[in-house]
């Protein structure tokens, strides 16, 4: 059976409706495709949302539209709109939080989900915080914390959107959400990348700083090590010159200097100590020269101060200390002041591979010099102590000697005291003795006189015998008075009176011849020699209590005659017989 | 009374003492000189007095001049003045006694006081000896100045003090 016309028409109409439907779908799909392509090319979210609004309003012939991208956590977001008055836009911006709370967080009419959703549609629906005239609301979660909300007004045609239109709108919203989501992700990735870049830079910086710190640390360790070593090297040394030498060796070794000189000027003891290392013409320094060069150095220091235990670097040392004076080209020089009277200079020649010392090396040199100064000060103190000690020992020795001397002196004083007391006693005794008569003195005078008399008499040519000679001479024979008288009367004898003339003249026997012994040699020839006959005897008389004159004269006569006799009893016996005497 | 006091003060004055001391000392030294040199002659003189036994004459003639010399020196120096003055006094007293006895006995001899050749002994000689004896007494009893011994010990005691 052939199809009827009506059925054909109907079929044609159906076909044309289908065609229309298909065209519409193709148009929507094309729109979707174009929109997707356009949105994916945009970078900024506002542009994306603006493009979305234009597309939707163009496709569906809508008069006005509004789109929000809202952070659900901070309740802040972007707004874009088309066909709204500026006051409506301001209200929307003002009510953003309320809008977000009302449509996105409140769950009215349905909770937020990742699928696009039409919230309200139709002219009678409640616009809420949104501007009046809002006919359609669409919302969708973009990513976590972000949601998109789109509001649209009425169509120009006034007809509501059909199912296909709604579906297309939802698809478009989905595309928007995707584009935004993509955009947000991109942005997040960019942020992350930027942050990563920044962190990487920071890390690089940190690494560089760590490297520098390590370098500093190494340098400081080296400096400390050097300081420790110089301390260890200097600590056992006590002599100033040896200290200075060790110090200079350490400094030269530390900085790798070719030449070096250290000069120490002690103004108190007026001594100069100079040590040097390296090959150059060495010279001797006098105190004046050393003081002059130190003064020149002092004038070339920036501070021009001489604080105790300070180190001052000399500016332009090559100009201050010419090579002709020092012996080498000075690269670095520092003046150091131990105290007011102890100054010094340390000068270094060219260092290996470097024009001069850097700031840190200068600080190290300062540290080394300060350390050296401390030891120099100690050495000086030690020398002072040594000198004091020597002094003390000498004084001690003197003191000991003094004590010995004093002890000896005390001993002597004691002896002298003893002598003094003895002398005192003696003097006392002598004074007492001088004032009175003592029999001892008399005896002493007599004894002394006797001894002197005997000694003198023994040695004198006029000496006499102690006892009379008569005592020792042979006895002269005697006759009695009667016989004598008879002999005289018969003329047989001559009578001789031996006594001195005075006694003879006083009294003598008649016819007696006076012949004293003292005048015998003169008187004998005159008075007796001539008258005496050879047969006559000589009768001698005359003696006293004190002297036997008769015996003395008889002895003399016996040398000339044999017949010599003494009258026994002398004149007394004569007178006793009654015989006469003269005168 | 006043004159007596003045006289007494003068008599005991140390300077008078010194004068008499030196005079007597010098006298004795002078007297001893000849006798020491010629002891034989002095022995004759002593014998002529007939007062000593014959054996004692020589000893006396030897010793007596030396005693005179020693005490004369002591007197002049002022050493052991007391003993010396006593001895001088004693000897002068002895001489005076001997002269007195000899004069009374009438022995015609010289004095022999200084030398052997002198005028004969007389009363003048006795008076002279007695005067010297008085001087000796003054020296014995009174202090005299410038005594070597006293001066020496006095100054030593000053040092000691």
């Amino acid at each position: 059976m052939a199809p009827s016309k009506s059925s054909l028409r109907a079929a044609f109409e159906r076909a044309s409706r289908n065609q229309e439907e298909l065209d519409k779908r193709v148009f929507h799909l094309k729109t979707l495709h174009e929109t997707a392509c356009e949105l994916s090319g945009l970078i900024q979210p506002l542009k994306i949302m603006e493009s979305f609004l234009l597309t939707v309003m163009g496709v569906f012939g809508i008069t006005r539209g509004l789109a929000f991208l809202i952070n659900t956590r901070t309740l802040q977001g972007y707004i874009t709109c088309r066909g709204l008055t500026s006051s409506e836009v301001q209200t929307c911006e003002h009510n953003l939080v309320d809008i977000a709370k009302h449509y996105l967080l409140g769950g009215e009419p349905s909770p937020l989900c990742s699928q696009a959703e039409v919230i309200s549609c139709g002219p009678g629906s409640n616009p809420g915080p949104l501007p009046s005239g809002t006919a359609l609301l669409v919302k969708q979660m973009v990513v976590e914390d972000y949601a998109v909300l789109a509001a649209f007004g009425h169509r120009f045609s006034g007809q509501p959107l059909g199912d296909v239109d709604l579906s297309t709108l939802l698809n478009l919203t989905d595309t928007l959400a995707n584009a935004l989501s993509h955009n947000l992700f991109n942005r997040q990735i960019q942020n992350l990348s930027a942050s990563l870049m920044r962190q990487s830079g920071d890390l690089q910086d940190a690494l560089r700083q760590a490297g520098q710190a390590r370098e500093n640390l190494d340098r400081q360790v080296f400096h400390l090590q050097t300081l420790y070593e110089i301390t260890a090297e200097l600590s056992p040394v006590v002599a100033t010159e040896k200290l200075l030498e060790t110090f200079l060796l350490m400094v030269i070794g530390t900085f790798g200097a070719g030449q070096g000189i250290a000069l120490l000027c002690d103004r108190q003891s007026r001594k100069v100590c100079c040590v040097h290392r390296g090959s150059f013409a060495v010279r001797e320094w006098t105190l004046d020269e050393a003081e002059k060069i130190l003064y020149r150095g002092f004038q070339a220091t920036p501070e021009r101060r001489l604080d105790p235990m300070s180190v001052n670097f000399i500016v332009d040392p090559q100009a201050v200390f010419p090579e002709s004076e020092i012996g080498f080209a000075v690269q670095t020089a520092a003046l150091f002041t131990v105290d007011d009277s102890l100054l010094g200079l340390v000068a270094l020649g060219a260092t290996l591979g470097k024009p001069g010392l850097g700031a840190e090396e200068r600080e190290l040199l300062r540290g080394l010099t300060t350390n050296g100064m401390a030891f120099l000060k100690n050495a000086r103190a030690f020398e002072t102590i040594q000198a004091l000690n020597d002094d003390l020992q000498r004084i001690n020795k003197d003191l000991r000697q003094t004590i010995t001397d004093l002890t000896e002196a005390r001993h002597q004083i004691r002896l002298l005291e003893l002598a003094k007391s003895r002398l005192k006693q003696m003097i006392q005794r002598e004074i007492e003795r001088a004032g009175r008569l003592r029999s001892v003195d008399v005896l002493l005078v007599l004894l002394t006189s006797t001894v002197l008399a005997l000694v003198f008499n023994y040695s004198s040519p006029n000496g006499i015998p102690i006892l009379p000679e008569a005592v020792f001479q042979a006895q002269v024979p005697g006759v009695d008075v009667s016989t004598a008288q008879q002999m005289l009367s018969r003329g047989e004898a001559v009578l001789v009176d031996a006594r001195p003339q005075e006694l003879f003249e006083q009294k003598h026997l008649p016819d007696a011849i006076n012949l004293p012994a003292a005048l015998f040699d003169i008187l004998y020839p005159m008075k007796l020699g001539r008258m005496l006959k050879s047969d006559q005897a000589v009768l001698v008389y005359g003696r006293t209590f004190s002297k036997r004159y008769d015996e003395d004269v008889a002895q003399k006569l016996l040398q000339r005659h044999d017949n010599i006799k003494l009258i026994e009893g002398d004149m007394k016996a004569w007178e006793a017989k009654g015989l006469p005497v003269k005168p | 009374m006043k004159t007596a006091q003045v006289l007494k003060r003068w008599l005991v004055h140390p300077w008078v003492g010194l004068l008499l001391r030196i005079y007597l000392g010098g006298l004795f030294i002078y007297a001893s000189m000849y006798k020491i040199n010629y002891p034989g002659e002095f022995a004759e003189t002593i014998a002529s007095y007939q007062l000593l036994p014959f054996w004692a004459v020589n000893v006396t003639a030897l010793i007596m001049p030396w005693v005179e010399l020693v005490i004369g020196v002591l007197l002049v120096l002022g050493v052991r003045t007391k003993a010396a003055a006593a001895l001088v006094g004693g000897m002068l007293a002895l001489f005076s006694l001997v002269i007195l006895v000899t004069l009374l006995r009438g022995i015609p001899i010289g004095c022999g006081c200084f030398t052997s050749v002198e005028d004969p002994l007389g009363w003048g000689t006795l008076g002279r000896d007695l005067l010297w004896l008085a001087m000796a007494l003054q020296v014995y009893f009174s202090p005299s100045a410038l005594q070597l011994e006293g001066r020496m010990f006095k100054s030593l005691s000053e040092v000691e003090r």
Side-chain angles (χ1 to χ4, degrees):
Chain A
M1 148 189 129
S4 63
K5 202 179 175 178
S6 63
S7 67
L8 278 173
R9 192 172 281 145
F12 178 73
E13 281 176 7
R14 208 165 48 235
S16 48
R17 264 202 313 271
N18 281 342
Q19 184 66 41
E20 200 176 325
E21 193 81 12
L22 280 172
D23 287 346
K24 206 173 183 175
R25 279 182 181 261
V26 167
F27 171 70
H28 282 176
L29 281 172
K30 266 179 148 175
T31 307
L32 264 176
H33 174 68
E34 282 167 7
T35 306
C37 284
E38 193 180 343
L39 291 185
S40 67
L42 294 170
I43 296 165
Q44 288 182 354
L46 274 174
K47 292 279 181 197
I48 292 171
M49 290 197 294
E50 213 173 281
S51 174
F52 166 73
L53 273 184
L54 287 171
T55 306
V56 171
M57 285 165 72
V59 170
F60 299 113
I62 294 171
T63 53
R64 51 203 230 156
L66 189 64
F68 301 89
L69 177 65
I70 295 171
N71 187 324
T72 53
R73 202 140 42 83
T74 62
L75 297 180
Q76 286 176 340
Y78 305 101
I79 301 173
T80 183
C81 56
R82 278 289 180 273
L84 262 73
T85 62
S86 60
S87 64
E88 282 173 333
V89 173
Q90 277 178 2
T91 310
C92 283
E93 280 174 353
H94 189 252
N95 291 338
L96 186 65
V97 176
D98 291 342
I99 292 164
K101 281 181 179 171
H102 189 267
Y103 295 103
L104 298 176
L105 301 176
E108 283 288 332
S110 64
L112 195 62
C113 70
S114 58
Q115 291 293 316
E117 189 183 0
V118 176
I119 298 169
S120 64
C121 190
S125 60
N126 181 20
L130 287 168
S132 56
T134 301
L136 185 66
L137 265 176
V138 182
K139 68 171 181 182
Q140 184 177 359
M141 200 167 83
V142 180
V143 287
E144 199 179 352
D145 295 343
Y146 278 94
V148 68
L149 180 69
F152 299 101
H154 299 287
R155 295 177 79 174
F156 288 110
S157 57
Q159 290 175 347
L161 291 177
D163 289 343
V164 177
D165 295 334
L166 280 176
S167 168
T168 304
L169 179 62
L170 286 175
N171 283 335
L172 280 171
T173 309
D174 204 28
T175 307
L176 171 69
N178 278 335
L180 281 175
S181 146
H182 189 69
N183 183 269
L184 282 173
F185 273 127
N186 263 347
R187 186 171 277 201
Q188 213 164 357
I189 284 164
Q190 271 175 5
N191 284 343
L192 279 172
S193 175
S195 155
L196 217 58
M197 287 289 283
R198 206 167 50 244
Q199 281 178 5
S200 173
D202 288 353
L203 211 62
Q204 288 282 338
D205 283 352
L207 269 174
R208 203 170 54 248
Q209 279 171 6
Q212 275 175 356
R214 187 192 165 88
E215 210 172 293
N216 280 338
L217 215 61
D218 282 350
R219 205 161 37 237
Q220 279 174 7
V221 164
F222 170 69
H223 287 182
L224 283 174
Q225 184 76 21
T226 312
L227 282 173
Y228 168 74
E229 276 171 10
I230 201 169
T231 306
E233 286 279 335
L234 293 180
S235 59
V237 185
V238 288
T240 305
E241 188 168 352
K242 180 82 183 151
L243 260 178
L244 209 60
E245 205 175 316
T246 313
F247 163 72
L248 185 65
L249 267 179
M250 287 297 293
V251 168
I252 284 178
T254 304
F255 299 111
Q259 301 93 3
I261 188 167
L263 193 70
L264 186 70
C265 179
D266 189 344
R267 286 194 285 190
Q268 191 177 311
S269 60
R270 305 199 57 75
K271 279 196 286 190
V272 178
C273 180
C274 177
V275 295
H276 39 75
R277 277 290 172 276
S279 51
F280 59 91
V282 176
R283 56 169 288 189
E284 289 291 321
W285 293 88
T286 64
L287 184 71
D288 281 347
E289 287 169 343
E291 282 191 331
K292 272 180 197 164
I293 203 168
L294 286 175
Y295 180 68
R296 258 191 359 248
F298 166 72
Q299 286 197 318
T301 56
E303 296 90 359
R304 293 206 182 176
R305 284 176 62 184
L306 290 176
D307 297 328
M309 297 303 283
S310 68
V311 180
N312 298 304
F313 282 98
I314 290 158
V315 180
D316 194 8
Q318 257 174 324
V320 179
F321 306 124
E323 190 172 345
S324 58
E325 191 174 18
I326 302 288
F328 59 89
V330 179
Q331 290 276 350
T332 309
L335 205 66
F336 57 88
T337 315
V338 180
D339 56 39
D340 290 342
S341 62
L342 196 61
L343 300 173
L345 172 77
V346 57
L348 299 178
T351 47
L352 290 172
K354 280 182 284 186
L357 298 185
E360 290 198 0
E361 281 174 322
R362 276 169 169 261
E363 279 313 302
L364 176 60
L365 179 57
R366 189 190 292 279
L368 289 175
T369 312
T370 307
N371 226 353
M373 277 197 293
F375 282 100
L376 281 172
K377 197 175 179 182
N378 281 352
R380 209 154 93 124
F382 182 76
E383 277 168 9
T384 309
I385 288 166
Q386 196 78 29
L388 284 174
N389 215 9
D390 287 351
D391 265 9
L392 213 63
Q393 275 185 352
R394 207 186 58 248
I395 289 166
N396 223 358
K397 198 176 161 192
D398 288 356
L399 216 62
R400 225 172 288 139
Q401 184 60 42
T402 309
I403 287 169
T404 313
D405 290 353
L406 274 177
T407 312
E408 210 167 294
R410 207 172 57 191
H411 185 63
Q412 278 182 355
I413 286 169
R414 207 168 57 232
L415 284 177
L416 286 173
E417 286 281 342
L418 201 67
K420 184 185 147 188
S421 82
R422 294 252 171 96
L423 271 174
K424 190 180 162 187
Q425 285 172 4
M426 205 177 80
I427 288 165
Q428 204 68 37
R429 218 162 45 228
E430 290 299 322
I431 288 170
E432 277 175 21
R433 198 157 58 194
R436 62 190 167 90
L437 173 64
R438 300 194 317 153
S439 51
V440 178
D441 291 342
V442 175
L443 278 175
L444 209 64
V445 168
L446 293 177
L447 195 67
T448 310
S449 303
T450 307
V451 170
L452 285 171
L454 293 177
V455 170
F456 183 80
N457 185 54
Y458 179 74
S459 52
S460 168
N462 298 327
I464 55 167
I466 294 168
L467 288 174
E469 284 167 349
V471 175
F472 310 103
Q473 286 164 351
Q475 201 75 36
V476 180
V479 290
D480 57 21
V481 175
S482 308
T483 313
Q485 208 255 333
Q486 285 170 7
M487 285 172 80
L488 285 171
S489 60
R490 283 197 298 266
E492 292 172 1
V494 178
L495 191 60
V496 170
D497 189 322
R499 297 177 301 161
Q501 192 186 352
E502 296 91 352
L503 297 177
F504 176 81
E505 284 170 357
Q506 200 179 29
K507 186 166 73 177
H508 62 266
L509 302 186
D511 302 324
I513 298 166
N514 185 221
L515 192 63
L519 302 170
F520 182 84
D521 289 335
I522 303 167
L523 293 179
Y524 171 77
M526 286 163 43
K527 289 188 174 178
L528 193 64
R530 244 177 284 156
M531 58 174 282
L532 188 66
K533 294 167 185 153
S534 58
D535 58 341
Q536 277 186 315
V538 180
L539 300 179
V540 186
Y541 79 94
R543 60 170 63 183
T544 65
F545 174 65
S546 296
K547 193 154 176 91
R548 295 179 176 178
Y549 301 108
D550 51 354
E551 283 193 5
D552 291 345
V553 173
Q555 290 294 340
K556 287 185 184 287
L557 285 171
L558 273 173
Q559 292 169 5
R560 299 169 193 256
H561 303 280
D562 298 327
N563 199 1
I564 307 294
K565 287 182 170 53
L566 299 180
I567 296 175
E568 289 170 353
D570 204 59
M571 280 178 75
K572 283 176 187 166
W574 187 277
E575 284 175 313
K577 285 266 184 183
L579 293 171
V581 290
K582 276 189 177 178
Chain B
M1 188 68 185
K2 206 170 183 182
T3 317
Q5 275 182 348
V6 169
L7 197 66
K8 191 186 172 190
R9 198 189 306 155
W10 268 106
L11 275 176
V12 298
H13 197 276
W15 290 106
V16 175
L18 170 68
L19 207 66
L20 296 181
R21 211 185 74 215
I22 290 172
Y23 171 71
L24 279 180
L27 193 72
F28 267 66
I29 291 166
Y30 171 68
S32 69
M33 287 291 126
Y34 191 82
K35 299 174 196 166
I36 285 172
N37 277 314
Y38 302 101
E41 291 181 21
F42 187 50
E44 290 290 331
T45 306
I46 291 172
S48 67
Y49 279 94
Q50 299 175 37
L51 286 168
L52 285 174
F54 79 99
W55 49 264
V57 171
N58 279 11
V59 174
T60 310
L62 281 175
I63 294 172
M64 192 184 280
W66 279 98
V67 173
E68 286 175 358
L69 177 64
V70 170
I71 58 179
V73 169
L74 290 181
L75 270 185
V76 168
L77 294 179
V79 178
R80 298 286 191 273
T81 314
K82 217 71 171 173
L87 275 171
V88 166
M91 286 179 84
L92 284 170
L94 185 71
F95 293 161
S96 303
L97 191 66
V98 165
I99 290 167
L100 182 64
V101 168
T102 308
L103 284 173
L104 289 176
R105 282 168 73 185
I107 303 172
I109 50 168
C111 166
C113 303
F114 298 98
T115 59
S116 56
V117 190
E118 280 178 6
D119 293 337
L121 208 61
W123 292 102
T125 319
L126 180 64
R128 191 188 61 185
D129 270 23
L130 287 173
L131 183 65
W132 287 343
L133 178 61
M135 288 180 182
L137 288 174
Q138 196 279 347
V139 172
Y140 181 84
F141 287 108
S142 304
S144 66
L146 296 177
Q147 292 193 57
L148 183 65
E149 191 177 49
R151 182 152 194 85
M152 183 172 72
F153 291 134
K154 194 180 167 194
S155 53
L156 273 175
S157 66
E158 274 167 5
V159 168
E160 184 266 332
R161 205 163 41 238

